[in-house]
Amino acid sequence: MFRHFQALVVCALALLCASPAFAGELRQGGKLMLTSGVSTVEGSAGGGLATWALIAGNETDAGIGGSAHATIVALPDFDLKSVGGAIGLHNRVEFSYAHQSFDTRRAGATLGLGRNFTFGQDVFGAKLRVIGDAVYDQDRVLPQISIGVQYHRATKSAIIAAVGGKHAQGTDFLLSASKVVLARSLVLGATVRFTKANQFGLLGFGGDRSDAYHAEFEGSAGLLVSRRLLLGAEIRTKPDNLGFARERKAVDAFAAWQFERHLTVTAAYADLGSIATFKRQRGAFLSLQASF
Amino acid sequence: MVLLALALALQTTPPGEDPVDPYPHSNANAGATPFKGSAMLAAFHGRAGVDRIADDLVTRIVIDPRIADILKGQDEVRLRRLLKEQFCYILNGGCGYSGRTMREGHKNLGLQTADVGALVEDLQAAMRKEGVPFAAQNRFLAKLAPIKRDAVER
């Protein structure tokens, strides 16, 4: 699985080096506010849960940028934390990393894992902008389109196997389209993710019910209220591979506020549905992102 | 004949501007089609508002450290007049545009994407100062955005 990731990285670097922008002097910043998105829990540029075709960082085609994020999703029975970062090269290629920890709190005892048993995973991502400019191509219907790959490595392989998960590692493949419809002050995004992940990968990949790749959908729509504030909603469908607990879609309604050029705070009300037999996991999503 | 008449008309340089070589005139040189109706012009507070925004924009960009160097040696009087014409034309304010095409007008300036970003932010600031509603600002910027492809050096 890691081979796919390496192949994409090599392919992305080759494309980058072939682009003429690489030859010139590097230049810091230059992207318009909010047009590098915020960070997903997987570290990639996006909304909070949904991946966008945008490339992380404030850089343009003439520079290198990046972002770092810290996110907490406080649910009735669990806490999900994510910390990580991304590097954007010439607004063309993005490399991202996030570490997630999923604290089962008291539910861990109920599940027989022990109180505060914590699942975890590392997510390594690469994204390549293939065509289109989400911001400047306002006379074209064509959105910005990116392809991506994410390699997930979950930490608790023994428990994952015990609940029916087939693998502790998995590779997701993503195809994303994003568009700012400036005349309507809208930001729209859609992603198809080919994945086997159970609960984002925290409960492993594939399961007793299915061990095949599933095409899942991530959609987002936002309204630019001011140049600093984006209000929106997201949906992310997920596979349902494990027999012991049903898994359904995640949705959220968010506000992303770039209160300073390099700092964006995102607050959301997220509904992650049922997790490991614990129903109605709805709570607060809070994320701080620094970008350059 | 029409082209010749236009070229001749151009020989008269407006007061305060440097003379320029003749070029074919067309409103299409503005790089965007005008809005229909009068709502957008009203949102920009009419011709007077458009003029204030264009003037304020030039005042901002000549001191913006990100892009000021690019504008050194450029004809600021002509730039002010052409921006007013261009904005007024696109906002359906009844003006004609007498400048060069966007590609010709930005040739050899060495503009990069980040420079366009700075210009957009300065224009946003000028529109904010004039009190143009944010949604109307974005509708206007949507018209201007594709010009970036002609303005940035490839």
Side-chain angles (χ1 to χ4, degrees):
Chain A
M1 282 302 180
F2 204 72
R3 278 201 319 276
H4 296 300
F5 180 75
Q6 284 174 321
L8 194 111
V9 169
V10 170
C11 151
L13 284 173
L15 250 156
L16 182 71
C17 299
S19 85
F22 199 77
E25 208 173 296
L26 288 179
R27 186 166 176 180
Q28 193 98 42
K31 243 181 231 172
L32 293 167
M33 299 265 245
L34 291 168
T35 63
S36 58
V38 293
S39 300
T40 67
V41 287
E42 282 143 334
S44 171
L49 297 175
T51 313
W52 294 355
L54 303 177
I55 300 296
N58 298 343
E59 88 289 352
T60 61
D61 49 0
I64 294 174
S67 66
H69 78 273
T71 301
I72 181 159
V73 189
L75 301 169
D77 297 295
F78 308 98
D79 290 327
L80 172 65
K81 289 183 192 128
S82 168
V83 289
I87 290 176
L89 306 174
H90 299 264
N91 196 27
R92 173 65 68 183
V93 178
E94 172 191 292
F95 296 109
S96 60
Y97 167 77
H99 177 77
Q100 295 176 4
S101 55
F102 186 73
D103 186 342
T104 59
R105 295 182 359 221
R106 255 191 334 200
T110 313
L111 291 165
L113 300 168
R115 196 183 169 117
N116 291 113
F117 181 89
T118 301
F119 289 92
Q121 70 168 335
D122 294 302
V123 185
F124 302 87
K127 193 195 284 179
L128 173 70
R129 179 168 68 84
V130 178
I131 195 171
D133 185 316
V135 180
Y136 285 104
D137 285 351
Q138 292 298 315
D139 54 341
R140 296 173 179 170
V141 177
L142 180 78
Q144 180 164 327
I145 295 172
S146 296
I147 53 171
V149 59
Q150 286 179 355
Y151 171 72
H152 295 237
R153 196 168 57 195
T155 54
K156 304 292 188 207
S157 50
I159 305 297
I160 287 166
V163 298
K166 294 289 182 198
H167 321 275
Q169 302 174 8
T171 304
D172 292 354
F173 301 91
L174 300 96
L175 174 66
S176 303
S178 293
K179 185 89 185 171
V180 179
V181 185
L182 208 45
R184 300 254 179 277
S185 299
L186 293 175
V187 180
L188 303 174
T191 289
V192 180
R193 177 191 294 261
F194 299 92
T195 182
K196 296 183 179 184
N198 311 318
Q199 298 294 357
F200 307 102
L202 288 159
L203 297 185
F205 299 82
D208 47 332
R209 295 184 69 236
S210 166
D211 189 26
Y213 269 99
H214 295 260
E216 301 294 343
F217 177 74
E218 298 171 20
S220 49
L223 179 70
L224 286 161
V225 176
S226 79
R227 77 204 162 98
R228 294 181 181 279
L229 181 64
L230 176 69
L231 301 180
E234 300 182 303
I235 181 168
R236 176 168 172 170
T237 67
K238 297 178 288 172
D240 184 18
N241 297 330
L242 297 176
F244 92 101
R246 300 309 297 266
E247 178 170 355
R248 292 213 167 80
K249 64 185 183 292
V251 295
D252 73 71
F254 69 87
W257 180 41
Q258 189 163 10
F259 58 99
E260 201 272 331
R261 183 177 296 278
H262 302 285
L263 293 171
T264 305
V265 63
T266 306
Y269 178 73
D271 181 352
L272 300 193
S274 175
I275 301 176
T277 73
F278 285 79
K279 290 187 177 137
R280 284 184 288 278
Q281 296 302 311
R282 299 166 188 162
F285 173 111
L286 196 64
S287 180
L288 182 68
Q289 186 209 58
S291 64
F292 67 93
Chain B
M1 276 304 280
V2 177
L3 276 182
L4 187 67
L6 282 170
L8 284 170
L10 254 165
Q11 303 297 325
T12 38
T13 305
E17 296 184 17
D18 303 329
V20 293
D21 293 333
Y23 56 88
H25 274 205
S26 165
N27 281 336
N29 292 356
T33 54
F35 285 102
K36 292 183 171 58
S38 59
M40 281 299 284
L41 187 68
F44 279 68
H45 305 152
R47 293 272 293 268
V50 172
D51 286 356
R52 281 192 294 270
I53 290 166
D55 270 326
D56 187 39
L57 171 61
V58 174
T59 304
R60 286 173 192 274
I61 59 180
V62 296
I63 57 162
D64 186 331
R66 297 172 291 183
I67 48 176
D69 280 351
I70 296 165
L71 294 148
K72 288 211 175 97
Q74 300 296 318
D75 186 342
E76 193 183 311
V77 178
R78 180 176 160 87
L79 178 63
R80 279 179 196 270
R81 178 176 61 82
L82 290 178
L83 280 174
K84 286 173 189 173
E85 284 182 10
Q86 184 188 29
F87 290 1
C88 171
Y89 169 72
I90 295 171
L91 293 163
N92 202 20
C95 306
Y97 181 67
S98 67
R100 294 190 188 90
T101 64
M102 289 296 106
R103 190 177 289 276
E104 282 295 315
H106 296 90
K107 212 165 109 181
N108 301 325
L109 288 179
L111 286 179
Q112 294 184 314
T113 304
D115 301 317
V116 177
L119 181 71
V120 170
E121 288 180 357
D122 290 338
L123 175 56
Q124 286 178 315
M127 292 189 290
R128 265 203 311 284
K129 189 180 169 196
E130 179 63 31
V132 177
F134 184 67
Q137 292 182 26
N138 287 343
R139 285 189 71 193
F140 185 49
L141 288 174
K143 286 274 192 186
L144 298 179
I147 294 172
K148 184 233 173 200
R149 287 198 296 269
D150 282 335
V152 167
E153 297 271 308
R154 305 240 144 232

